[in-house]
Amino acid sequence: MACFSLATQPSPMAMRRAGLLGRHFASPFRLLCRQISVEPQATVDRLKESGLLRTQGLIGGKWIDAYDGKTIQVQNPATGDVIASVPCMGRNETTNAISSAYNTFSSWSKLTASERSKCLRKWYDLIISHKEDLALLITLEQGKPLKESLGEVSYGAAFIEFFAEEAKRIYGDIIAPTIDDRRLLVLKQPVGVVGAITPWNFPLAMITRKVGPALACGCTVVVKPSEYTPLTALAAAELALQAGIPPGALNVVMGNASDIGDTLLESTQVRKITFTGSTAVGKKLMAGSASTVKKISLELGGNAPCIVFDDADLDVAVKGSLAAKFRNSGQTCVCANRILVQEGIYEKFANAFAKAVQALQVGNGLIEGTVQGPLINEAALEKVETMVQDATAKGADVVTGGKRHSLGMTFYEPTVLGNVNKEMLIFRQEVFGPVAPLMRFKTEEEAIQMANDTNAGLAAYIFTTSMPRTWRVSEALEYGLVGVNEGLISTEVAPFGGFKQSGLGREGSKYGMDEYLEIKYVCLGNLKGT
Ligand code: ADP
């Protein structure tokens, strides 16, 4: 029944593989690191005591196992150790989660905006006060460095805070009538039950930027987190309950992805699907939404160009490209996927960039100083290997890295490839790993053409000191986000989303609210009557 089979003691071999033995830790994460690496049981106890190590699904405010008792194991990608088992749910549990969200919609949507706002604000406060524990969970199940996990908690929480405020800023309209005894009103109302399907690369933030605006608007939600990273989602849901978000307003199911997805798609009670993940799954969800004509938001894959012009400040370009490429070991949809460098600065940039890449410390994310964790799984590692092999077979040079890391597991060496061209897979597809392909270009027109020569259109980066060029190129890029002289540009106050096959809709910012609202026109007629 219950799933508290916590295999938490990494084997000495696993710890050695991940570089956890024989290390001395320094502040600021010293205590945190020591608890996890040297006394894993203490870490689990700490998480248990905090009440955050939830290992069941959440339906109607109750923590539930899979009805058939099946479970899936959640592994630490840095060591291979099983952190916990969670229920492997499917159609029946999802149907009940939808009913629970549907029933709760009638009361949650009728609260005042201010009442909903207060619950969300409380949720934000609880996330912040459990920041360290949530960060530990993220690093344990996802592998990113603890410092990045702490950053994700702040970033993820910021969406709740922002949308708690936006809840009070949903405005309608009054339109000048065309007939004098009429008044024309526009109301904005919550769409209803939302199915939110999220990936593993940001186990918290991808949830909060969907659930935050949904709850703020008065919608209720069934979340399906990635089976690789359900523990952070469950911990966040526990804090939502503690914050007074009513049972049934936020439900979490995980397990058989296609059964859960299909149940959400087929239900007439689910009025919206919001998804972050691969383009292939996004297209399936879009097609599947057609039969019940659901509103849909999709945040799909990218193939971000990062254009370094001759007139760029070299240090700014190296620092920005490094951040845009290697954050989360290259596992984000806004990661620079193609670094296009103008021929006049190519050699200087390639040398400085490769030097910076060689300095990136790879290891278990719990060790202070680690900036590159493991990839999420073996399939991800094999994809990276295939793309590097394809590029080198077609003439690319390995400037640095280029193979599995000696730490084993799913660690891959931070890699720079030189002289990449359009014939290589890595130009067309997202590598989603720590590999930076460099390509040369001659003119601004050529760079724009190369940058736009893809079906993706999420993020793009340019490095230049010319203001006219900044305007020209920003306007010419067919991308939803453009970073100029900056590699990290996401924030809760700005719209995030893609052009072309990178998706539909926007998350974050005031625009993020519209995705969860219906527009209703009300015509008041016969005002001359009694
Ligand atoms: P990634 O390759 O980054 O894991 P996916 O698109 O496969 O991206 O996964 C993103 C989310 O979509 C995960 O929660 C995953 O379980 C879910 N998912 C995968 N396949 C389906 C499907 N057929 N229907 C619904 N959700 C799915």
Side-chain angles (χ1 to χ4, degrees):
M1 274 279 286
C3 300
F4 279 87
S5 57
L6 296 163
T8 48
Q9 180 80 48
S11 64
M13 192 186 291
M15 289 173 77
R16 203 167 295 117
R17 265 197 319 258
L20 278 175
L21 293 182
R23 300 293 298 239
H24 298 286
F25 302 111
S27 60
F29 307 121
R30 190 172 170 177
L31 182 62
L32 228 47
C33 294
R34 182 176 291 152
Q35 282 177 341
I36 278 289
S37 58
V38 183
E39 298 175 66
Q41 193 53 48
T43 304
V44 173
D45 290 346
R46 169 189 171 138
L47 291 170
K48 268 189 187 164
E49 272 162 31
S50 72
L52 290 189
L53 195 63
R54 285 284 173 192
T55 54
Q56 293 169 293
L58 182 65
I59 301 176
K62 296 205 167 58
W63 296 101
I64 307 268
D65 291 319
Y67 297 156
D68 61 7
K70 283 192 185 146
T71 57
I72 37 180
Q73 293 184 332
V74 184
Q75 287 187 330
N76 179 342
T79 62
D81 295 311
V82 176
I83 307 161
S85 293
V86 295
C88 183
M89 294 175 154
R91 285 188 172 270
N92 293 337
E93 297 86 347
T94 308
T95 301
N96 287 343
I98 294 169
S99 299
S100 150
Y102 187 77
N103 294 335
T104 310
F105 177 72
S106 50
S107 49
W108 177 250
S109 60
K110 288 196 181 67
L111 291 182
T112 63
S114 160
E115 286 167 325
R116 285 198 298 271
S117 174
K118 283 189 184 112
C119 288
L120 285 169
R121 175 70 208 194
K122 185 87 199 295
W123 190 20
Y124 165 78
D125 289 338
L126 285 170
I127 290 175
I128 293 300
S129 63
H130 290 84
K131 192 173 170 176
E132 290 191 342
D133 288 332
L134 287 166
L136 279 177
L137 268 178
I138 293 174
T139 295
L140 278 179
E141 66 179 353
Q142 200 272 346
K144 68 177 67 173
L146 194 53
K147 200 171 169 187
E148 277 194 40
S149 297
L150 286 163
E152 182 182 343
V153 178
S154 302
Y155 173 61
F159 285 98
I160 308 282
E161 183 190 38
F162 179 82
F163 286 111
E165 293 156 0
E166 285 301 287
K168 294 181 275 185
R169 299 189 189 112
I170 299 171
Y171 304 108
D173 252 327
I174 299 177
I175 298 172
T178 51
I179 298 173
D180 69 358
D181 71 342
R182 290 187 177 181
R183 294 296 177 269
L184 315 184
L185 315 181
V186 176
L187 311 183
K188 292 210 181 156
Q189 296 185 317
V191 292
V193 175
V194 173
I197 301 176
T198 59
W200 47 264
N201 60 347
F202 289 91
L204 181 70
M206 294 304 105
I207 290 174
T208 55
R209 70 179 181 182
K210 294 172 167 54
V211 175
L215 291 177
C217 290
C219 299
T220 53
V221 192
V222 177
V223 174
K224 193 208 85 60
S226 167
E227 285 63 42
Y228 292 109
T229 57
L231 300 176
T232 309
L234 295 171
E238 163 64 31
L239 295 175
L241 285 179
Q242 289 179 23
I245 292 172
L250 173 59
N251 305 274
V252 185
V253 291
M254 72 234 82
N256 185 322
S258 55
D259 280 358
I260 295 171
D262 289 348
T263 310
L264 290 168
L265 291 173
E266 288 159 17
S267 169
T268 51
Q269 291 181 333
V270 175
R271 295 307 318 137
K272 166 155 185 117
I273 294 288
T274 172
F275 171 75
T276 298
S278 62
T279 307
V281 172
K283 286 179 181 176
K284 271 191 207 163
L285 297 176
M286 193 171 175
S289 296
S291 61
T292 50
V293 193
K294 293 189 204 312
K295 217 171 151 78
I296 183 154
S297 302
L298 301 172
E299 201 267 274
L300 310 177
N303 184 3
C306 175
I307 311 174
V308 181
F309 288 98
D310 281 348
D311 62 21
D313 177 315
L314 186 65
D315 290 341
V316 170
V318 168
K319 194 166 158 251
S321 312
L322 198 72
K325 174 66 248 182
F326 288 96
R327 183 165 64 123
N328 205 359
S329 299
Q331 302 174 110
T332 87
C333 45
V334 292
C335 273
N337 204 51
R338 297 169 294 152
I339 303 183
L340 315 178
V341 191
Q342 202 161 12
E343 56 185 2
I345 199 174
Y346 186 94
E347 297 303 333
K348 261 198 277 178
F349 176 85
N351 289 337
F353 185 68
K355 209 168 149 201
V357 172
Q358 280 156 4
L360 296 173
Q361 187 175 318
V362 180
N364 188 310
L366 297 171
I367 295 172
E368 201 197 354
T370 294
V371 287
Q372 293 287 283
L375 297 186
I376 190 68
N377 56 27
E378 183 64 25
L381 186 68
E382 284 170 11
K383 181 180 174 194
V384 169
E385 279 187 309
T386 305
M387 289 175 82
V388 170
Q389 277 159 14
D390 170 83
T392 51
K394 291 174 181 161
D397 314 320
V398 176
V399 181
T400 184
K403 57 183 190 306
R404 289 179 183 233
H405 197 278
S406 57
L407 282 173
M409 298 303 297
T410 53
F411 291 98
Y412 195 84
E413 292 178 347
T415 296
V416 179
L417 300 178
N419 291 317
V420 168
N421 66 47
K422 286 186 196 173
E423 307 315 313
M424 300 171 186
L425 276 180
I426 208 158
F427 182 84
R428 298 269 154 227
Q429 293 175 22
E430 233 180 343
V431 64
F432 232 64
V435 180
L438 306 188
M439 304 177 71
R440 287 173 200 265
F441 69 89
K442 289 193 172 73
T443 64
E444 184 180 304
E445 293 67 33
E446 186 189 1
I448 292 168
Q449 194 279 329
M450 285 164 78
N452 288 339
D453 183 14
T454 169
N455 286 329
L458 189 56
Y461 306 89
I462 62 176
F463 291 89
T464 174
T465 48
S466 157
M467 187 51 78
R469 170 170 274 158
T470 294
W471 277 104
R472 280 195 306 272
V473 180
S474 297
E475 289 178 2
L477 288 169
E478 297 165 351
Y479 288 84
L481 292 81
V482 178
V484 181
N485 295 324
E486 182 52 72
L488 299 175
I489 61 172
S490 302
T491 156
E492 74 281 5
V493 301
F496 186 105
F499 283 21
K500 298 182 185 169
Q501 295 185 26
S502 283
L504 290 174
R506 293 294 180 268
E507 295 192 311
S509 81
K510 62 177 181 177
Y511 305 104
M513 292 290 276
D514 295 339
E515 306 288 328
Y516 299 90
L517 293 168
E518 288 281 16
I519 291 177
K520 183 182 282 177
Y521 157 52
V522 178
C523 174
L524 307 180
N526 270 308
L527 294 192
K528 289 182 183 151
T530 49

